[in-house]
């Protein structure tokens, strides 16, 4: 069986831990909607079980999960066309994760840079779940036989591990059961940087709220954050090559390109040579035009939490219908007695 033998299926996930920001939107959500609109089967998951690898206040986790669902829908995901659900409602993820804990090797996990970053200096005090996190991520993807995984650049290493797990399982059991999924890391904004520092990633954990645009920010806040974004004193260069060594300028150009659905070359043709005093208002107008409606729609959706819960329960039932037979077959391959009835 070759990769082509698997029906194309897209899976991706986002953690409900804190605010969604422009990096999540351009690196993930916007591209989730594009995959959906191509007519491929798409599953998108709020990965609450990943979120609890670090402490989450229960009330905050519930609010963040529903707000994330609202963010998915406001970004163009249609619950009728995409399967939208939260991870903990589909037990097959954790069941498959255990299998993969037994496939993945300690050495593979120890190489994960995200674990090292998140655990920091006190790795002995990190949860076991934080260490095993990438095996659960592999389970998310492979329990659906997903073939394509749209993510931002920071998830590349986890996707490589997912591929290694699929290859090792297939090899150890002499089967071609799991597809080897393709990371889809495309477009101008696969790594959106902080607005305060062009060398660090835009992230929800940055203490400065000015470093990121949140999808819940209103129009004035979005415009202010762009106006105050760090830049250098030179005008934009006239060619892409001139962005070399100018990380803040590069970041704003990338954001513009991704928001406008343009290539970086097209942006340079339009804005090359302009001083930031001209380019920033252009970018602010564009960002407000694209992001403010999302924030308004999220607020509207959050007025009806029971509707959000209904969408997640419906998505979970549809997800389970795909996951359950794949888990059962996995157990059968491994020799688990009674697997047919799982
Ligand atoms: P998470 O929740 O940290 O981020 C969600 C998505 O947003 C992307 N992203 C960015 N893209 C561009 N620029 C940025 N500054 C930026 N910050 C975040 C991430 O790359 C990601 O695509 N482990 C995953 C969640 C996950 C998952 C999965 C993803 C769990 N299971 C299965 C794909 C498939 C994570 O923590 O993403």
């Amino acid at each position: 069986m070759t990769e082509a033998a698997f029906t194309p299926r897209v899976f991706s996930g986002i953690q409900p831990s804190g605010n969604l920001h422009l990096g999540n939107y351009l690196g993930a959500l916007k591209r989730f909607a594009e995959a959906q609109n191509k007519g491929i089967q798409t599953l998108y998951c709020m990965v609450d079980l990943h979120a609890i690898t670090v402490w989450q206040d229960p009330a905050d986790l519930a609010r963040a999960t529903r707000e994330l669902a609202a963010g998915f829908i406001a970004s163009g995901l249609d619950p009728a066309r995409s399967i939208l659900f939260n991870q903990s409602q589909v037990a097959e993820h954790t069941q498959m994760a255990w299998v993969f804990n037994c496939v993945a090797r300690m050495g593979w996990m120890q190489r994960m840079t995200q674990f090292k970053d998140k655990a920091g200096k006190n790795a002995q005090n990190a949860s076991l779940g934080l260490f095993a996190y990438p095996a659960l991520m592999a389970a998310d993807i492979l329990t659906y036989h997903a073939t394509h995984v749209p993510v931002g650049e920071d998830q590349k290493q986890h996707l490589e591990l997912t591929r290694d797990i699929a290859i090792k399982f297939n090899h150890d059991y002499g089967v071609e059961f799991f597809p080897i999924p393709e990371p889809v890391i495309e477009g101008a904004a696969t790594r959106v940087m902080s607005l305060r520092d062009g060398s660090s990633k835009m992230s929800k954990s940055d203490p400065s709220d000015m470093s990121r645009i949140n999808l819940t920010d209103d129009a004035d806040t979005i415009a202010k954050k762009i106006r105050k974004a760090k830049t250098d004193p030179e005008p934009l260069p006239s060619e892409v090559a001139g962005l070399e060594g100018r990380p803040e300028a590069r970041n704003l150009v990338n954001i513009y390109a991704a928001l406008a659905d343009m290539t970086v070359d097209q942006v340079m043709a339009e804005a090359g040579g302009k001083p930031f005093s001209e380019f920033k208002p252009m970018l602010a107008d564009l960002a407000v035009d694209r992001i403010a409606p999302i924030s308004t729609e999220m607020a509207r959706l959050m007025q009806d939490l029971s509707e959000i819960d209904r969408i997640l329960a419906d998505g979970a039932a549809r997800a389970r219908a795909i996951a359950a037979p794949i888990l059962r077959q996995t157990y059968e391959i491994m020799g688990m007695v009674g697997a047919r009835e799982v």
Side-chain angles (χ1 to χ4, degrees), residues 11-17 21-29 32 47 50 87 114 118 133 136-138 140-141 149-155 158-159 189-193 201-204:
F11 182 97
S12 198
I14 299 188
Q15 294 194 58
S17 52
H21 54 71
L22 186 67
N24 299 131
Y25 177 67
L26 295 176
L29 285 166
F32 294 178
V47 292
H50 276 111
Q87 195 182 24
Q114 190 163 304
K118 282 202 177 175
Y133 180 117
L136 177 60
M137 183 161 159
D140 296 339
I141 297 164
V149 186
V151 283
E153 177 72 38
D154 60 351
Q155 295 301 315
H158 289 158
L159 264 292
T190 56
R191 189 174 173 82
V192 177
M193 307 308 278
K201 197 180 64 173
M202 183 177 286
S203 105
K204 50 192 150 202

Coordinates of all heavy atoms in Angstrom, one line a residue, residues 11-17 21-29 32 47 50 87 114 118 133 136-138 140-141 149-155 158-159 189-193 201-204, ligand 1:
F11 N -6.2 16.6 9.2 CA -6.4 16.7 10.6 C -5.5 17.8 11.2 O -4.3 17.9 10.8 CB -6.1 15.4 11.4 CG -6.4 15.5 12.9 CD1 -7.6 15.1 13.4 CD2 -5.5 16.1 13.7 CE1 -7.9 15.2 14.7 CE2 -5.8 16.3 15.1 CZ -7.0 15.8 15.6
S12 N -6.0 18.7 12.1 CA -5.1 19.5 12.8 C -5.8 19.9 14.2 O -7.0 19.7 14.4 CB -4.7 20.8 12.0 OG -3.6 21.3 12.6
G13 N -5.0 20.4 15.0 CA -5.5 20.8 16.4 C -4.9 22.0 16.9 O -3.8 22.5 16.5
I14 N -5.6 22.6 17.9 CA -5.1 23.8 18.6 C -5.4 23.7 20.1 O -6.5 23.2 20.4 CB -5.7 25.1 18.0 CG1 -5.4 25.3 16.5 CG2 -5.3 26.4 18.8 CD1 -5.8 26.7 15.9
Q15 N -4.5 24.1 20.9 CA -4.7 24.0 22.3 C -5.6 25.1 22.9 O -5.4 26.3 22.5 CB -3.4 24.1 23.1 CG -2.4 23.0 22.8 CD -1.3 23.0 23.9 OE1 -1.5 22.9 25.1 NE2 -0.1 23.1 23.4
P16 N -6.6 24.7 23.7 CA -7.4 25.8 24.3 C -6.7 26.3 25.6 O -7.2 26.0 26.7 CB -8.7 25.0 24.6 CG -8.3 23.6 24.9 CD -7.1 23.4 24.0
S17 N -5.7 27.0 25.4 CA -4.9 27.5 26.6 C -4.5 28.9 26.3 O -3.5 29.2 25.8 CB -3.7 26.6 26.9 OG -2.9 26.5 25.7
H21 N -4.2 34.0 18.7 CA -3.5 35.2 18.2 C -3.3 35.2 16.7 O -3.7 34.1 16.0 CB -2.2 35.5 18.9 CG -1.3 34.3 18.9 ND1 -0.6 33.9 17.8 CD2 -0.9 33.4 19.9 CE1 0.1 32.8 18.1 NE2 -0.1 32.5 19.3
L22 N -2.8 36.2 16.1 CA -2.6 36.3 14.7 C -1.7 35.2 14.1 O -2.0 34.7 13.0 CB -1.9 37.7 14.3 CG -1.8 38.0 12.9 CD1 -3.1 38.2 12.2 CD2 -0.9 39.3 12.7
G23 N -0.8 34.7 14.9 CA 0.1 33.5 14.5 C -0.8 32.3 14.3 O -0.7 31.6 13.3
N24 N -1.7 32.0 15.3 CA -2.6 30.9 15.2 C -3.5 31.1 13.9 O -3.8 30.1 13.2 CB -3.5 30.7 16.4 CG -2.8 30.5 17.7 OD1 -3.1 31.2 18.7 ND2 -1.8 29.6 17.7
Y25 N -3.9 32.3 13.7 CA -4.8 32.5 12.6 C -4.1 32.3 11.2 O -4.6 31.5 10.4 CB -5.4 33.9 12.7 CG -6.3 34.2 11.5 CD1 -7.5 33.6 11.3 CD2 -6.0 35.2 10.5 CE1 -8.4 33.8 10.2 CE2 -6.8 35.4 9.4 CZ -8.0 34.7 9.3 OH -8.8 34.9 8.2
L26 N -3.0 33.0 11.1 CA -2.3 32.9 9.7 C -1.6 31.5 9.5 O -1.6 31.0 8.5 CB -1.3 34.0 9.6 CG -2.0 35.4 9.5 CD1 -0.9 36.5 9.4 CD2 -2.9 35.5 8.3
G27 N -1.0 31.0 10.6 CA -0.3 29.7 10.5 C -1.2 28.5 10.5 O -0.9 27.5 10.0
A28 N -2.4 28.7 11.1 CA -3.3 27.5 11.2 C -4.7 27.8 10.7 O -5.1 27.3 9.6 CB -3.3 27.0 12.6
L29 N -5.5 28.5 11.5 CA -7.0 28.6 11.2 C -7.3 29.0 9.8 O -8.2 28.4 9.2 CB -7.6 29.7 12.2 CG -7.7 29.2 13.6 CD1 -8.0 30.4 14.5 CD2 -8.8 28.2 13.7
F32 N -6.8 26.2 7.7 CA -7.8 25.1 7.9 C -9.0 25.4 7.0 O -9.5 24.4 6.4 CB -8.3 25.1 9.4 CG -7.3 24.8 10.5 CD1 -7.6 24.8 11.8 CD2 -6.0 24.4 10.2 CE1 -6.8 24.4 12.8 CE2 -5.1 24.1 11.2 CZ -5.5 24.1 12.5
V47 N -7.6 20.6 21.4 CA -6.9 19.6 22.1 C -6.8 19.9 23.6 O -5.7 20.3 24.2 CB -5.5 19.3 21.5 CG1 -5.7 18.7 20.1 CG2 -4.7 20.5 21.3
H50 N -4.1 18.0 25.6 CA -2.8 18.5 25.5 C -2.6 19.7 26.4 O -1.6 19.9 27.0 CB -2.5 19.0 24.0 CG -2.0 17.8 23.2 ND1 -2.8 17.3 22.1 CD2 -0.9 17.2 23.2 CE1 -2.1 16.4 21.5 NE2 -0.9 16.2 22.2
Q87 N -11.0 17.2 22.0 CA -10.3 15.9 22.1 C -10.8 14.9 23.2 O -11.0 13.7 22.9 CB -8.8 16.2 22.4 CG -7.8 15.2 22.2 CD -6.4 15.8 22.6 OE1 -6.4 16.8 23.4 NE2 -5.4 15.3 22.1
Q114 N 10.4 21.4 21.8 CA 9.3 22.1 22.5 C 9.3 21.6 24.0 O 9.0 22.4 24.9 CB 8.0 21.8 21.8 CG 6.9 22.7 22.4 CD 5.7 22.8 21.5 OE1 5.7 23.2 20.4 NE2 4.5 22.5 22.1
K118 N 9.5 24.2 27.0 CA 8.4 24.4 28.0 C 8.8 23.9 29.4 O 8.3 24.5 30.4 CB 7.2 23.6 27.5 CG 6.4 24.2 26.4 CD 5.0 23.7 26.3 CE 4.2 24.4 25.3 NZ 2.8 23.9 25.2
Y133 N 3.6 14.2 25.4 CA 2.8 15.1 24.5 C 2.8 14.7 23.0 O 1.8 14.5 22.4 CB 3.2 16.5 24.8 CG 2.6 17.6 24.0 CD1 1.9 18.6 24.8 CD2 2.7 17.8 22.7 CE1 1.3 19.7 24.1 CE2 2.1 18.8 22.0 CZ 1.4 19.8 22.7 OH 0.8 20.8 22.1
L136 N 0.7 11.7 22.0 CA -0.7 12.0 21.9 C -1.0 12.7 20.6 O -2.0 12.5 20.0 CB -1.1 12.8 23.2 CG -2.6 13.2 23.2 CD1 -3.6 12.0 23.2 CD2 -2.9 14.1 24.5
M137 N -0.1 13.6 20.2 CA -0.3 14.3 19.0 C -0.3 13.3 17.8 O -1.1 13.5 16.9 CB 0.8 15.4 18.8 CG 0.6 16.2 17.6 SD 1.6 17.8 17.8 CE 1.7 18.2 16.1
A138 N 0.6 12.4 17.8 CA 0.6 11.4 16.8 C -0.7 10.6 16.7 O -1.2 10.3 15.7 CB 1.8 10.4 17.0
D140 N -3.6 11.7 17.7 CA -4.7 12.6 17.2 C -4.7 12.4 15.6 O -5.8 12.3 15.1 CB -4.3 14.1 17.4 CG -4.3 14.5 18.9 OD1 -4.9 13.7 19.7 OD2 -3.7 15.5 19.2
I141 N -3.6 12.4 15.0 CA -3.5 12.4 13.6 C -3.7 11.0 13.0 O -4.6 10.8 12.1 CB -2.1 12.9 13.2 CG1 -1.9 14.3 13.6 CG2 -1.8 12.7 11.6 CD1 -0.4 14.8 13.6
V149 N -1.5 17.5 7.4 CA -1.6 18.2 8.7 C -1.2 19.6 8.5 O 0.0 19.9 8.5 CB -0.8 17.4 9.8 CG1 -1.1 18.1 11.1 CG2 -1.1 15.9 9.8
P150 N -2.1 20.6 8.3 CA -1.7 22.0 8.3 C -1.3 22.5 9.6 O -2.1 22.4 10.6 CB -2.9 22.7 7.7 CG -4.1 21.8 8.0 CD -3.5 20.4 8.2
V151 N -0.1 23.0 9.8 CA 0.4 23.6 11.0 C 1.4 24.7 10.7 O 1.8 24.9 9.6 CB 1.2 22.5 11.9 CG1 0.3 21.5 12.6 CG2 2.2 21.8 11.0
G152 N 1.7 25.5 11.8 CA 2.8 26.4 11.7 C 4.2 25.7 11.8 O 4.2 24.6 12.2
E153 N 5.2 26.5 11.5 CA 6.6 26.0 11.5 C 7.0 25.3 12.8 O 7.7 24.3 12.8 CB 7.5 27.2 11.2 CG 8.9 27.0 11.2 CD 9.4 26.2 10.0 OE1 8.9 26.4 8.9 OE2 10.3 25.4 10.1
D154 N 6.5 25.8 13.9 CA 6.9 25.3 15.2 C 6.5 23.9 15.5 O 7.0 23.2 16.4 CB 6.4 26.2 16.4 CG 4.9 26.4 16.5 OD1 4.2 25.9 15.5 OD2 4.4 26.9 17.4
Q155 N 5.6 23.3 14.7 CA 5.1 21.9 14.9 C 5.8 20.9 14.0 O 5.5 19.7 14.1 CB 3.6 21.8 14.7 CG 2.8 22.7 15.7 CD 3.0 22.2 17.1 OE1 3.1 21.0 17.4 NE2 3.3 23.2 18.0
H158 N 7.4 17.8 15.8 CA 6.3 16.9 16.2 C 5.8 16.1 15.1 O 5.4 14.9 15.2 CB 5.2 17.6 16.9 CG 5.6 18.2 18.3 ND1 4.9 19.2 18.9 CD2 6.6 17.9 19.1 CE1 5.5 19.5 20.0 NE2 6.5 18.7 20.2
L159 N 5.6 16.7 13.9 CA 5.1 16.0 12.8 C 6.1 14.9 12.3 O 5.7 13.9 11.8 CB 4.8 17.0 11.6 CG 3.4 17.5 11.5 CD1 2.5 16.3 11.1 CD2 2.8 18.0 12.8
A189 N 3.2 33.1 6.2 CA 3.2 33.4 7.6 C 3.2 32.1 8.4 O 2.4 31.9 9.3 CB 2.0 34.2 8.0
T190 N 4.1 31.2 8.1 CA 4.2 29.9 8.9 C 4.9 30.1 10.2 O 4.9 29.3 11.1 CB 5.0 28.9 8.1 OG1 6.3 29.4 7.8 CG2 4.3 28.5 6.8
R191 N 5.5 31.3 10.4 CA 6.1 31.6 11.6 C 6.0 33.1 11.9 O 6.9 33.9 11.5 CB 7.6 31.2 11.6 CG 8.3 31.3 13.0 CD 9.7 30.7 12.9 NE 10.4 31.0 14.2 CZ 10.3 30.2 15.3 NH1 9.5 29.2 15.2 NH2 10.9 30.5 16.4
V192 N 4.9 33.5 12.4 CA 4.6 35.0 12.7 C 5.4 35.3 13.9 O 5.4 34.6 15.0 CB 3.1 35.2 12.9 CG1 2.9 36.7 13.3 CG2 2.3 34.8 11.7
M193 N 6.1 36.4 13.9 CA 7.0 36.8 15.0 C 6.3 37.9 15.8 O 5.4 38.5 15.5 CB 8.4 37.4 14.4 CG 9.1 36.4 13.4 SD 9.3 34.7 14.0 CE 10.7 35.0 15.0
K201 N 9.0 34.3 18.5 CA 7.8 33.9 17.9 C 6.6 34.6 18.6 O 6.6 34.8 19.8 CB 7.6 32.4 18.1 CG 6.6 31.7 17.2 CD 6.6 30.2 17.5 CE 6.2 29.9 18.9 NZ 6.0 28.5 19.2
M202 N 5.6 35.0 17.8 CA 4.4 35.5 18.4 C 3.8 34.4 19.2 O 3.5 33.3 18.7 CB 3.4 36.0 17.4 CG 2.1 36.7 18.0 SD 1.0 37.4 16.8 CE 1.8 38.8 16.3
S203 N 3.5 34.6 20.5 CA 3.0 33.5 21.3 C 2.1 34.0 22.4 O 2.1 35.1 22.8 CB 4.2 32.7 21.9 OG 4.3 32.9 23.2
K204 N 1.2 33.0 22.8 CA 0.2 33.4 23.9 C 0.9 33.6 25.2 O 0.4 34.1 26.1 CB -0.9 32.4 23.9 CG -0.6 31.0 24.0 CD -1.8 30.1 23.7 CE -1.4 28.8 23.1 NZ -2.5 28.1 22.4
Ligands
LIG1 P1 -0.7 25.4 19.3 O1 -2.0 25.3 20.1 O2 0.5 25.9 20.1 O3 -0.8 26.2 18.0 C1 -1.9 26.0 17.1 C2 -1.4 26.2 15.7 O4 -1.0 27.6 15.5 C3 0.4 27.6 15.0 N1 1.1 28.7 15.5 C4 1.8 29.6 14.7 N2 1.9 29.7 13.4 C5 2.6 30.7 12.9 N3 3.2 31.7 13.7 C6 3.1 31.6 15.0 N4 3.7 32.5 15.8 C7 2.4 30.5 15.6 N5 2.1 30.2 16.9 C8 1.3 29.1 16.8 C9 1.0 26.2 15.4 O5 2.0 25.9 14.6 C10 -0.2 25.3 15.3 O6 -0.4 24.9 14.0 N6 0.8 20.6 19.4 C11 0.0 21.5 18.8 C12 -1.5 21.2 18.8 C13 -1.8 19.8 18.3 C14 -1.8 19.4 16.9 C15 -2.3 18.0 17.0 C16 -1.6 20.0 15.7 C17 -2.2 18.7 19.1 N7 -2.4 17.6 18.3 C18 -2.4 17.3 15.8 C19 -1.7 19.2 14.6 C20 -2.1 17.9 14.6 C21 0.1 22.9 19.4 O7 0.4 23.0 20.6 O8 -0.3 23.9 18.7

